[in-house]
Amino acid sequence: MAQMTVKERMKIPRQDMPVQDEHVRRSNFDEVATGFTPEHVQKEADRCLQCKDPKCIEGCPVGVLIPQFIKALREGDIVKSIEWMKVKNNLPAICGRVCPQEVQCEGKCVLGKKATPVAIGRLERYVGDYELAHRTCPLNKAPRTGKKVAVVGTGPAGLTCAVDLGREGHEVTMFESLHGPGGVLVYGIPEFRLPKSVVFGEINYAVECLGIKVSCDHVIGRTYTLPELLNEYDAVFLGTGAGLPSFMRIPGINLNGVMSANEFLTRVNLMKGYLFPNYDTPAKVGKKVAVIGAGNVAMDAVRCSLRLQRLQAAKTGEDPGEVYIVYRRSRDEVPAREEEFHHAEEEGVIFNFLTNPVEILGDDKRNVRAMRCQRMQLGEPDQSGRRRPVPIEGSEFELEVDTVIMALGTSPNPLVFVDAEGLQRTKWGTTVADQESGRTTKPRVWAGGDVVTGAATVISAMGAGKRAAADMHAFLTGQTTW
Amino acid sequence: MYKILEKEVFSDVTKLMVIEAPHVARNARAGQFIIVRIDENGERIPLTIADYDRKAGTITIIFQEVGKSTKQLGTMNVGDSVATFVGPLGHPTEIENFGTVVCVGGGVGIAPIYPIAKALKEAGNTVISIIGARNKELLFWEDKMKAASTELIVCTDDGSYGRKALVTDPLKEILAEKGAAVKKVWAIGPAIMMKFVAAATKPFNVDTIVSLNTIMIDGTGMCGGCRVLLEEGAQFVCVDGPEFNGHKVDWDNLLSRLQFYRKEEQEALQQYDHKCKLDAAVAKGGQ
């Protein structure tokens, strides 16, 4: 096949991701994006210009060798592509689905300057899914080192750290407080965005190949404390995430029908509440659901809500109702991943921008009946660089709602720090850890992911887990000291 | 999986189970709770620890069959296993020698008040315990409570055993008689009982500690479904409690939040009962 010219490559349009029709998918929890076909992959891979100085890699928190894996793909060598991928990323099927590519790799792609960037995330997912189905790239384990490591938390940070340390031949035990591993990938991210089979496929494979032990139902801080772990293990990694929900400090937050996005999503995802009563945990919403916030968690909650409404309506024959996003800033400041916002819009979510709740109002039975809100306008930029929303005087109004879900961000759960003397934390409750090595202020304890940064992305947690694993390995093999 | 090692049937609806869970037993203390999930489709239900044996690695739970999950748990037998058993969760009871204290246990709340009474007595307190239930059927552990207390008063609502009274009646008498000599009161039972215990002790200004059992999923501070309104604002029962100052709890808010999933709870129970009947009919037909 003759080489394509740059011009020819640039003529190929960015390939659209096939998706379930929005009218169909609103009534099910199946995955929205159904994945590239080999034809899409060929065309999309052909678009890559194979830059001499690839900027995309710089945009990736773990530095995936993007031009290399795409080159192999377009040459039809998917096994080689997976090998390139796995040099830096153990969990491509997950990252391809949940990374905010538009501000990472794809945001740096030179094609994006003139037209649209290469759909790196979609290609990554394709490679990851192929590997999940075919397992062409075994996880090899180095000879046993005799060192024992405890990894607390089985989300993206812990999982990445555990796999890297397992490959180096260390004996790894992961501790999970819930009844199954995966952390936020399982309790937080809905099935329609990240199927649980993908998460469990990755975890089971790692556990099988590397002999990693997973101890569920263990709450570190209660079942065992950190000092107790340090007595039994040579090193400990804390990847406990940011699991503590925030509630607004406004009247009415304890009315019936007000919940945290964490509670709602855990009911729906981890406990499979959308399959109630075949699963025992109920998840329900009313006819007018307001989700406060506009991050990924808010989009997940609002899209779960509209699906639940339709499942409920299928039983009762009534009108399903409406769902709203209530956000105090404007469209431009929406922090959610672009694709999630777009999908939410398609599915019929109503967006109330520049709107801030000041009180939740109840009826005589203490059920939510409305939210008193005020209109906002954007003022001067604040510390985050975004324009600060300021209330417009006299703009208060009532929004009729019966369910309020708060998706206002989360902070690290302090439970793990019980008796953890010498482990320094910030005033926001995050753990102080070296950005490169992940070392905390307590000897033999490393930390990474949301427990250090506060709520961030899956991929940045994976990056932190990977960097910590490298330093832990160096420490465990005597190449460095504490 | 966590094996059921012993089962004791106190009444048609009240059952005791000893569960093999060394990881929970090793750090367990009076006042803490566990979360149990029966099987892969099960919900996570919080139950206060009734007793523990660190050496044997076991936890004792006592539950009343009120919904689908507890009913299903009640059908399980020695040798069966539950899928999830997590703990110990929440703060343990602060045990000190306070002097004279009163421990009130209502219904299935007799179970969690027992280890507290026992620990308080071991710490040197004079422990006056009051246990009560709707009827004789629903009473249990009178002997154990007797051993864990300096003095024990037993009452039933219908007078079928012990004194015919609500637990608040003897409590008020004790407070009237002993006054400030009573340093603290613990009360565990149905929310409505704890509300009235708190109301009874308020005029005497006696510290009153209640152990709340709210709707909960993870039990580690993650979901916030368990939040309770106190005078100082909302707190989480799972990580801030489960014990709280009963005089500061907004009881009406608590009672209404407990009702939020009532309709779904009934639906689950009905479906379960229906399935049980079908299974029984099939089994009968097969004979």
Side-chain angles (χ1 to χ4, degrees):
Chain A
M1 195 173 68
Q3 273 286 1
M4 281 175 146
T5 62
V6 168
K7 227 177 194 172
E8 282 168 332
R9 293 191 190 286
M10 290 179 69
K11 263 194 199 151
I12 309 170
R14 180 177 159 110
Q15 300 297 295
D16 284 334
M17 172 62 98
V19 292
Q20 268 198 77
D21 177 82
E22 61 259 32
H23 299 288
V24 176
R25 72 182 192 240
R26 283 192 300 188
S27 302
N28 69 49
F29 277 78
D30 300 339
E31 191 167 22
V32 169
T34 51
F36 268 3
T37 61
E39 293 71 39
H40 290 118
V41 171
Q42 187 66 55
K43 281 189 182 157
E44 195 60 44
D46 278 341
R47 295 182 68 223
C48 177
L49 301 183
Q50 296 287 310
C51 304
K52 290 267 173 327
D53 176 21
K55 298 290 178 208
C56 49
I57 299 181
E58 289 171 23
C60 176
V62 298
V64 167
L65 303 170
I66 295 165
Q68 287 88 333
F69 98 77
I70 293 182
K71 183 161 185 275
L73 263 186
R74 89 165 160 227
E75 287 165 357
D77 191 350
I78 190 149
V79 174
K80 184 81 200 153
S81 181
I82 293 162
E83 281 169 17
W84 281 119
M85 177 67 71
K86 293 254 169 164
V87 173
K88 296 285 182 180
N89 186 354
N90 288 322
L91 306 164
I94 296 173
C95 295
R97 286 174 168 85
V98 302
C99 273
Q101 289 93 1
E102 67 270 18
V103 294
Q104 295 179 349
C105 51
E106 294 180 22
K108 301 265 181 175
C109 175
V110 291
L111 279 186
K113 292 199 176 106
K114 289 209 168 154
T116 51
V118 174
I120 300 166
R122 292 167 185 173
L123 293 174
E124 180 182 35
R125 169 181 160 172
Y126 182 83
V127 171
D129 284 355
Y130 187 90
E131 170 61 8
L132 262 179
H134 299 92
R135 293 299 180 198
T136 62
C137 184
L139 287 170
N140 295 318
K141 188 175 176 171
R144 280 173 183 272
T145 61
K147 298 290 180 184
K148 289 174 72 183
V149 183
V151 171
V152 186
T154 61
L159 211 51
T160 309
C161 183
V163 168
D164 279 10
L165 288 170
R167 289 168 89 166
E168 299 288 3
H170 305 297
E171 189 186 329
V172 182
T173 303
M174 300 184 79
F175 291 98
E176 169 58 50
S177 66
L178 292 168
H179 52 259
V184 73
L185 302 171
V186 172
Y187 76 74
I189 303 178
E191 182 75 15
F192 57 78
R193 197 148 81 80
L194 176 64
K196 302 298 158 271
S197 58
V198 172
V199 181
F200 295 142
E202 295 288 17
I203 295 174
N204 292 343
Y205 189 62
V207 167
E208 248 168 59
C209 292
L210 304 172
I212 293 169
K213 195 175 158 214
V214 184
S215 290
C216 292
D217 308 328
H218 280 64
V219 183
I220 304 307
R222 289 272 187 253
T223 312
Y224 289 86
T225 61
L226 185 56
E228 284 174 331
L229 288 184
L230 285 167
N231 286 338
E232 281 186 40
Y233 296 88
D234 298 297
V236 176
F237 175 78
L238 302 180
T240 48
L244 223 58
S246 315
F247 286 90
M248 292 185 91
R249 294 181 187 280
I250 58 174
I253 65 142
N254 241 38
L255 289 165
N256 269 327
V258 183
M259 58 193 130
S260 71
N262 262 9
E263 176 183 356
F264 177 63
L265 290 173
T266 303
R267 282 180 182 278
V268 174
N269 303 327
L270 177 73
M271 307 308 298
K272 301 209 184 308
Y274 63 97
L275 298 174
F276 177 86
N278 293 331
Y279 280 75
D280 291 342
T281 310
K284 67 169 175 185
V285 289
K287 292 273 177 74
K288 288 178 179 289
V289 182
V291 175
I292 305 171
N296 285 320
V297 173
M299 296 305 150
D300 288 343
V302 83
R303 295 172 68 202
C304 282
S305 296
L306 67 86
R307 282 164 173 75
L308 273 185
Q309 281 181 333
R310 276 160 185 78
L311 293 181
Q312 288 170 189
K315 282 188 195 169
T316 60
E318 292 171 17
D319 173 58
E322 291 178 338
V323 294
Y324 315 112
I325 284 279
V326 176
Y327 183 48
R328 63 195 183 117
R329 299 178 195 257
S330 75
R331 163 72 187 95
D332 290 344
E333 289 81 23
V334 166
R337 197 171 171 255
E338 188 60 37
E339 191 182 13
E340 308 316 324
F341 175 78
H342 173 65
H343 283 159
E345 227 175 12
E346 276 183 350
E347 289 166 10
V349 174
I350 299 165
F351 288 84
N352 290 303
F353 292 118
L354 295 165
T355 306
N356 191 38
V358 290
E359 184 178 3
I360 304 168
L361 306 163
D363 63 16
D364 54 356
K365 292 195 178 107
R366 294 168 184 263
N367 293 321
V368 173
R369 69 162 180 84
M371 223 164 43
R372 204 151 55 76
C373 302
Q374 59 190 3
R375 299 275 183 214
M376 312 294 275
Q377 58 190 358
L378 294 179
E380 294 301 307
D382 62 13
Q383 282 174 333
S384 71
R386 298 179 296 180
R387 292 176 67 193
R388 185 195 301 274
V390 212
I392 300 172
E393 235 174 273
S395 67
E396 286 194 7
F397 67 101
E398 271 186 24
L399 180 69
E400 194 193 317
V401 294
D402 52 19
T403 307
V404 177
I405 299 173
M406 302 216 176
L408 303 158
T410 51
S411 54
N413 193 326
L415 217 47
V416 72
F417 307 111
V418 169
D419 294 341
E421 266 170 52
L423 195 135
Q424 211 183 317
R425 283 184 289 154
T426 67
K427 61 176 173 175
W428 298 281
T430 53
T431 304
V432 175
D434 182 82
Q435 217 189 329
E436 273 313 302
S437 68
R439 290 187 183 200
T440 68
T441 54
K442 191 172 175 68
R444 295 193 289 128
V445 180
W446 285 256
D450 285 2
V451 74
V452 173
T453 56
T457 58
V458 168
I459 187 70
S460 63
M462 287 180 182
K466 219 174 176 55
R467 290 192 298 275
D471 190 62
M472 290 169 85
H473 175 63
F475 173 81
L476 291 167
T477 50
Q479 299 166 55
T480 60
T481 53
W482 187 267
Chain B
M1 300 293 271
Y2 307 89
K3 208 185 246 177
I4 301 168
L5 300 178
E6 287 174 45
K7 180 181 177 182
E8 214 177 307
V9 178
F10 289 144
S11 76
D12 283 353
V13 291
T14 318
K15 284 159 195 178
L16 169 149
M17 281 177 182
V18 177
I19 311 282
E20 181 178 45
H23 71 300
V24 183
R26 56 187 298 282
N27 267 337
R29 283 156 75 187
Q32 291 184 298
F33 67 97
I34 57 91
I35 280 185
V36 60
R37 190 179 65 123
I38 297 171
D39 56 27
E40 284 314 309
N41 291 18
E43 62 182 332
R44 297 168 63 96
I45 45 175
L47 291 171
T48 314
I49 293 171
D51 208 353
Y52 52 86
D53 185 334
R54 294 209 178 107
K55 231 169 150 186
T58 61
I59 298 283
T60 302
I61 52 170
I62 295 178
F63 57 94
Q64 200 163 8
E65 295 176 7
V66 287
K68 189 255 174 184
S69 295
T70 41
K71 213 165 177 178
Q72 188 185 349
L73 186 59
T75 65
M76 297 177 79
N77 289 307
V78 171
D80 293 342
S81 293
V82 292
T84 301
F85 203 80
V86 200
L89 299 168
H91 291 291
T93 308
E94 277 177 47
I95 305 288
E96 278 176 43
N97 189 351
F98 299 101
T100 299
V101 297
V102 179
C103 291
V104 184
V108 77
I110 297 168
I113 205 76
Y114 165 71
I116 296 173
K118 187 170 122 185
L120 285 166
K121 194 175 172 213
E122 280 166 6
N125 291 280
T126 299
V127 180
I128 306 171
S129 295
I130 306 169
I131 58 172
R134 282 204 309 278
N135 55 48
K136 187 186 169 191
E137 269 274 274
L138 298 173
L139 277 175
F140 57 90
W141 275 11
E142 186 186 353
D143 51 339
K144 290 187 87 156
M145 280 304 291
K146 203 165 207 168
S149 317
T150 318
E151 184 191 341
L152 176 71
I153 300 160
V154 184
C155 39
T156 51
D157 296 4
D158 65 356
S160 54
Y161 189 78
R163 185 173 157 188
K164 183 179 192 298
L166 299 173
V167 290
T168 42
D169 300 330
L171 174 64
K172 283 180 200 159
E173 291 160 17
I174 292 164
L175 292 171
E177 186 196 316
K178 300 195 185 286
V182 176
K183 298 298 178 202
K184 265 180 197 286
V185 173
W186 272 263
I188 311 182
I192 193 76
M193 181 205 94
M194 294 191 280
K195 174 184 170 173
F196 283 110
V197 166
T201 59
K202 186 93 205 253
F204 298 95
N205 212 13
V206 189
D207 273 1
T208 300
I209 297 159
V210 294
S211 177
L212 304 180
N213 191 336
T214 49
I215 288 171
M216 205 176 272
I217 304 175
D218 59 294
T220 63
M222 199 183 91
C223 81
C226 64
R227 61 196 193 281
V228 54
L229 268 190
L230 300 183
E231 269 174 21
E232 54 267 43
Q235 292 211 354
F236 289 4
V237 169
C238 64
V239 287
D240 300 319
E243 294 188 351
F244 293 95
N245 177 342
H247 295 151
K248 294 198 167 173
V249 173
D250 180 337
W251 291 102
D252 295 335
N253 183 266
L254 181 90
L255 286 160
S256 89
R257 286 185 64 82
L258 285 171
Q259 301 293 321
F260 187 56
Y261 289 99
R262 179 49 60 92
K263 211 182 105 210
E264 288 73 21
E265 285 160 7
Q266 278 167 352
E267 186 186 341
L269 186 58
Q270 271 165 14
Q271 179 176 299
Y272 178 72
D273 284 342
H274 183 64
K275 188 181 166 289
C276 289
K277 274 183 203 151
L278 279 180
D279 288 350
V282 169
K284 211 174 165 190
Q287 272 171 3

